[in-house]
Amino acid sequence: MTKRREPLSFAAAVNTVGSLVGWAQLAQILGKSERLIRYWSDEDHRAQPSLEQAMMLDRAYLAAGGNHAPLLEAYAGQLDLHTWTSSPCPAGLASDISTATRETAEAISISITLIQPGATLPDMRSAQREVNEGIDALNRVRARLNSMIVHDGGAKQRGSRAGRLCA
């Protein structure tokens, strides 16, 4: 059975990293036991990675092909700020939009079922989780758009074609 984790929690972020990179590989990278790292992904345990370890986890995730920094997002989400910049790339924006479309569609779909008689507390919690995931996905789109505006320097706002969108 898969353990449920709150979206944008450090536990969910560590689980995301561990699922892509692999627990044994993370243990080797961090010089910590696999068990400790798994505890970090369990909200029932108080252990959490240090700031330095969180950066190492995000770097490992990105190096393994991840497209965002899960622990950074968790931190920003808990502050209710999404000011980190992602790569100002139209292909990345397209990917983020695709993910946001899927996540928000799932949130709307499951939320509609709550209108029907007989909706249960687990149904409501599932809808809440899906809505949070949709919000997270939309925040990634917003961050990508913000990075495109910042890197463009306002050139397109003035009608110019200047400004690079991909490095």
Side-chain angles (χ1 to χ4, degrees):
M1 183 172 132
T2 301
K3 186 165 193 159
R4 292 184 182 186
R5 293 167 182 85
E6 284 296 319
L8 295 180
S9 68
F10 290 118
V14 172
N15 188 63
T16 298
V17 174
S19 296
L20 178 66
V21 177
W23 301 103
Q25 181 68 22
L26 286 178
Q28 185 178 12
I29 291 168
L30 295 166
K32 299 291 180 187
S33 72
E34 186 175 332
R35 183 176 189 153
L36 174 63
I37 298 167
R38 285 186 182 271
Y39 279 153
W40 293 344
S41 73
D42 186 344
E43 292 177 345
D44 293 337
H45 290 273
R46 296 183 72 153
Q48 292 184 339
S50 68
L51 181 57
E52 181 179 354
Q53 292 163 335
M55 288 190 293
M56 292 172 73
L57 288 164
D58 278 344
R59 286 185 192 120
Y61 184 78
L62 292 167
N67 63 358
H68 63 288
L71 282 107
L72 180 59
E73 281 188 10
Y75 179 76
Q78 290 178 33
L79 286 176
D80 199 28
L81 297 172
H82 286 273
T83 57
W84 62 277
T85 57
S86 55
S87 172
C89 179
L93 177 61
S95 175
D96 290 344
I97 290 170
S98 174
T99 299
T101 300
R102 183 182 68 251
E103 293 295 344
T104 55
E106 290 171 359
I108 291 167
S109 176
I110 197 162
S111 295
I112 289 171
T113 65
L114 299 179
I115 299 168
Q116 304 301 318
T120 65
L121 183 58
D123 293 337
M124 292 175 200
R125 287 186 176 144
S126 182
Q128 183 182 42
R129 185 176 59 255
E130 291 297 331
V131 166
N132 287 338
E133 290 173 5
I135 291 168
D136 178 37
L138 287 170
N139 281 330
R140 282 195 297 273
V141 170
R142 180 175 50 191
R144 182 82 63 180
L145 290 171
N146 287 344
S147 73
M148 293 173 89
I149 291 167
V150 168
H151 284 86
D152 179 62
K156 288 194 175 177
Q157 183 179 4
R158 295 185 302 272
S160 168
R161 303 281 298 164
R164 293 182 56 194
L165 295 182
C166 275

